[in-house]
């Protein structure tokens, strides 16, 4: 997970693949990494968000035995970690997002016993407390995406539950703390990527679904949710099926669809969705290292995308790359000083 500090630095804390005990910070001005402190609790499958006061709230995840956690902690501006109030429910593979009123919405996830929950709760930084919402999500889901729409509502898309990948969409209304159905995707999907476009629509790309026989497949399709019309339409297909990819909206309004896995191999290729042209084209740039399940973060001021960590098919991989739009260059400062996700978290200024 990534969070931006007030200084413009980026906190990188990886939870996706292995138990993580440390965090990192990159410095934008120097392109170097600086080791931060240790997480108080090692956790995988956690979620992290940047609070309005500059702290990073890290929630849930699973411990070394795969048991979901209710605990939470803060990453502070001085590079230390401190305890935060625990959530009401243990969660791993949940989604977290800061609402316009400053609260943090945490939704779904896997709970103790292996079940998937439809519960949601909010953290209030002013009161320093959690409140379980009386309203529940329409669908229990884990591994879903959560994106803030231009009107402040939150779109929850896809994911999985006991029945497999989900096609259901729903919207959380922060003014009423309620969930309403927002229709369905043409293809049920998990491990997909989602990006809010500059006009307020949402691009939902790739992921893992099922075919007519119920077999798992990797998707090359995209779909577009229009909150004004309350409808879902087919988007242009990607040239390659991709699961565990990233989708990042760039300053020019296009979306970089980076890496992922095609069902057999991790990918280094990058595709660009252009909303104005309505198409997806292959970028001349590619990652130095193929990867999936990585993190991608739009750096402030320059429209570059920092691509961090993830997996190669054969091993955990600590490399990061930086995509520079408008060029054929996709390079980076090189590997972290220590292996991630099993090693330290770091800061990139």
């Amino acid at each position: 997970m990534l969070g931006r500090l007030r200084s413009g630095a980026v906190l990188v804390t990886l939870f996706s693949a292995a138990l993580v005990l440390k965090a990192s910070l990159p410095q934008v001005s120097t392109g170097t990494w600086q080791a931060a402190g240790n997480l108080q609790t090692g956790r995988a499958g956690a979620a992290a968000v940047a609070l309005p006061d500059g702290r990073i709230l890290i929630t849930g995840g699973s411990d070394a035995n795969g048991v979901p956690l209710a605990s939470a902690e803060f990453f502070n501006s001085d590079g230390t970690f401190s305890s935060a109030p625990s959530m009401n429910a243990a969660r791993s593979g949940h989604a977290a997002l800061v609402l316009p009123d400053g609260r943090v919405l945490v939704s779904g996830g896997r709970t103790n016993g292996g079940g998937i929950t439809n519960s949601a709760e909010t953290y209030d930084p002013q009161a320093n407390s959690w409140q379980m919402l009386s309203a529940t999500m329409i669908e229990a889901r884990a591994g879903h995406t959560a994106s803030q729409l231009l009107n402040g509502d939150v779109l929850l898309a896809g994911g999985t539950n006991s029945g497999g990948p989900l096609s259901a969409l729903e919207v959380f209304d922060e003014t009423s703390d309620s969930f309403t159905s927002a229709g369905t995707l043409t293809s049920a999907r998990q491990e997909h990527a989602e990006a809010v476009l500059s006009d307020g629509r949402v691009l939902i790309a790739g992921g893992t679904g099922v075919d007519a026989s119920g077999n798992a497949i990797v998707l090359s399709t995209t779909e577009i949710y229009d909150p004004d019309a309350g409808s879902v339409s087919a988007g242009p297909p990607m040239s390659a099926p991709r699961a565990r990819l990233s989708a990042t909206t760039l300053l020019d309004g296009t979306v970089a669809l980076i890496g992922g896995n095609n069902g057999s191999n991790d990918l280094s290729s990058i595709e660009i969705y252009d909303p104005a042209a309505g198409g997806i084209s292959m970028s001349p740039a590619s990652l130095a290292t193929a990867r999936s399940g990585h993190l991608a973060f739009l750096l402030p001021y320059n429209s570059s995308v920092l691509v961090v960590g993830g997996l190669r098919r054969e091993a955990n991989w600590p490399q990061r790359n930086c995509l520079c739009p408008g060029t054929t260059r996709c390079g980076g400062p090189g590997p972290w000083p220590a292996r991630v996700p099993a090693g330290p978290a770091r800061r990139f200024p």
Side-chain angles (χ1 to χ4, degrees), residues 113-133:
I116 295 176
T117 184
N118 64 351
S119 70
E121 52 189 298
T122 56
Y123 171 72
D124 184 341
Q126 299 299 318
N128 193 31
S129 64
W130 291 91
Q131 178 182 356
M132 186 69 79
L133 298 181

Side-chain angles (χ1 to χ4, degrees), residues 19-20 29 98 122 135 140-141 143-144 153-155 165 181 186 196 225-226 236-237 246 249 295 328:
L19 190 68
V20 175
S29 57
V98 178
T122 56
R141 60 180 85 214
H144 52 291
D153 290 347
V154 178
L155 176 69
S181 174
T186 300
V196 179
Y225 172 72
D226 186 335
S246 63
T249 302
L295 302 173
T328 58

Side-chain angles (χ1 to χ4, degrees), residues 13-275:
T13 316
L14 297 181
F15 306 107
S16 58
L19 190 68
V20 175
L21 295 176
K22 295 186 178 180
S24 310
L25 302 169
Q27 299 294 331
V28 175
S29 57
T30 64
T32 61
W33 292 84
Q34 173 188 338
N38 291 355
L39 289 164
Q40 295 186 337
T41 302
R43 54 186 83 222
V49 294
L51 300 177
D53 63 9
R55 294 177 298 167
I56 307 294
L57 175 66
I58 303 162
T59 57
S62 298
D63 66 14
N65 297 313
V67 177
L69 300 167
S71 64
E73 49 191 290
F74 297 115
F75 176 78
N76 304 301
S77 58
D78 63 358
T80 63
F81 290 86
S82 58
S83 297
S86 293
M87 297 182 290
N88 291 290
R91 306 173 188 270
S92 181
H94 53 291
L97 187 144
V98 178
L99 300 172
D101 63 10
R103 294 180 299 158
V104 177
L105 172 69
V106 170
S107 60
R110 298 183 182 275
T111 59
N112 291 327
I116 295 176
T117 184
N118 64 351
S119 70
E121 52 189 298
T122 56
Y123 171 72
D124 184 341
Q126 299 299 318
N128 193 31
S129 64
W130 291 91
Q131 178 182 356
M132 186 69 79
L133 298 181
S134 57
T136 57
M137 295 189 297
I138 297 169
E139 295 278 355
R141 60 180 85 214
H144 52 291
T145 51
S147 296
Q148 190 165 87
L149 306 177
L150 296 187
N151 65 357
D153 290 347
V154 178
L155 176 69
L156 305 176
T160 187
N161 63 17
S162 57
L166 293 168
S167 61
L169 302 172
E170 54 190 291
V171 168
F172 174 75
D173 183 341
E174 67 141 350
T175 60
S176 60
D177 283 354
S178 62
F179 296 90
T180 57
S181 174
T184 59
L185 298 167
T186 300
S187 298
R189 59 186 80 212
Q190 60 178 324
E191 300 180 322
H192 56 284
E194 186 174 282
V196 179
L197 306 178
S198 55
D199 63 7
R201 295 179 300 156
V202 181
L203 175 71
I204 299 165
T208 304
V210 293
D211 63 16
S213 300
N215 300 312
I217 56 171
V218 179
L219 303 171
S220 61
T221 58
T222 70
E223 304 188 49
I224 298 174
Y225 172 72
D226 186 335
D228 293 334
S231 63
V232 179
S233 59
M238 296 182 290
S239 63
R242 300 173 187 266
R244 301 189 299 279
L245 70 160
S246 63
T248 305
T249 302
L250 306 178
L251 296 182
D252 64 2
T254 61
V255 178
L257 303 165
I258 300 173
N261 185 284
N262 64 8
S264 301
N265 298 294
D266 291 318
L267 303 172
S268 62
S269 59
I270 299 168
E271 303 189 48
I272 303 294
Y273 170 64
D274 185 342

